[in-house]
């Protein structure tokens, strides 16, 4: 559960950053947050699978390294998805 929450938070932050970087492709605050959160879950899961980060914890405590990895993966995934969707929306508007 901590992994999903950290991916959502990382993705939302990444989506907001992507909207600030690519101001022409910004979809507004809510659109950037939603696109970033969706991309964050996908990106965090993909990065976790590639790096072999375990979602579970052995001793019942939180693994700070896994949470940090999910935040970073979610942030990168959220930024990428927001920028791609923002560029597509910009092209559709003309």
């Amino acid at each position: 559960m901590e992994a999903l929450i950290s991916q959502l938070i990382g993705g939302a932050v990444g989506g907001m950053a992507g909207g600030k970087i690519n101001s022409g492709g910004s979809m507004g605050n809510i659109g950037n947050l939603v696109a970033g959160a969706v991309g964050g879950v996908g990106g965090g899961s993909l990065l976790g699978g590639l790096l072999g980060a375990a979602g579970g914890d052995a001793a019942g405590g939180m693994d700070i390294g896994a949470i940090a990895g999910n935040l970073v993966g979610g942030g990168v995934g959220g930024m990428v998805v927001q920028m791609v969707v923002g560029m597509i929306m910009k092209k559709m508007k003309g």
Side-chain angles (χ1 to χ4, degrees):
M1 189 62 159
E2 293 89 8
L4 181 64
I5 292 170
S6 60
Q7 289 168 359
L8 283 170
I9 291 171
V13 170
M16 291 301 292
K20 298 291 183 193
I21 291 171
N22 186 16
S23 61
S26 179
M27 300 178 291
N29 288 337
I30 301 297
N32 292 342
L33 281 171
V34 170
V38 169
V41 172
S45 298
L46 180 67
L47 186 65
L50 289 175
L51 297 178
D57 46 342
M62 292 191 316
D63 183 9
I64 300 299
I67 291 174
N70 285 325
L71 280 170
V72 170
V76 170
M79 183 182 294
V80 168
V81 168
Q82 189 283 326
M83 292 182 91
V84 168
V85 171
M87 283 190 272
I88 291 171
M89 296 292 289
K90 182 179 176 181
K91 292 288 182 184
M92 288 176 64
K93 288 181 183 176

